[in-house]
Amino acid sequence: ATLFLNRFALQFQKQGVEAKEVCKFVGAVAEMFNEKAKAGNSKDGKSLKYSGVEFGDVYAEFVGESLTFKERKERFGPFDLDNNGNIDLIEFLLYFYKKEILKGYQHRNGV
């Protein structure tokens, strides 16, 4: 969570996204994510299978919709940066803030 905030909080603030809200949201996601990872079948205690019930709970809580196993697999496959079938906190946050991250990239690079 700290790595994500260090990298993107200032960028989001420049884009008009309230940094305090980002920090609050990231902290809440990190807390629930870690609880679910420790309580579930996570091999490393830090990541969740994007096809699993635990990740479904996190997704529903913070995105506000429920997805089927197949929908989660299709949606999160591209964000599984290490292709291990799991989503860690950073990968989830990249998914959640993808529009803001892409907008910042495009602005910095004149795209």
Side-chain angles (χ1 to χ4, degrees):
T2 303
L3 177 66
F4 183 86
L5 289 172
N6 287 341
R7 174 57 189 92
F8 294 111
L10 183 58
Q11 172 188 318
F12 293 165
Q13 185 73 29
K14 288 179 182 179
Q15 292 173 317
V17 179
E18 184 62 41
K20 280 185 181 180
E21 293 302 314
V22 172
C23 291
K24 186 176 170 182
F25 177 82
V26 168
V29 171
E31 185 177 330
M32 184 175 186
F33 207 94
N34 290 332
E35 286 174 12
K36 293 287 185 178
K38 288 177 184 172
N41 294 326
S42 174
K43 292 178 183 178
D44 61 5
K46 297 178 183 178
S47 60
L48 300 171
K49 287 208 164 294
Y50 49 79
S51 59
V53 172
E54 292 85 3
F55 181 66
D57 292 344
V58 172
Y59 185 83
E61 176 73 22
F62 293 103
V63 179
E65 67 177 331
S66 294
L67 298 175
T68 66
F69 158 79
K70 185 177 179 182
E71 291 169 328
R72 284 194 310 265
K73 188 173 180 179
E74 289 171 359
R75 190 167 295 182
F76 284 93
F79 291 90
D80 183 9
L81 300 177
D82 52 7
N83 294 314
N84 65 356
N86 295 324
I87 291 291
D88 63 26
L89 178 61
I90 295 292
E91 292 167 334
F92 178 74
L93 293 171
L94 289 172
Y95 166 81
F96 190 84
Y97 286 107
K98 65 184 174 277
K99 290 178 186 172
E100 292 84 355
I101 292 168
L102 288 173
K103 184 178 175 183
Y105 174 83
Q106 291 168 343
H107 178 74
R108 284 189 311 277
N109 294 292
V111 177

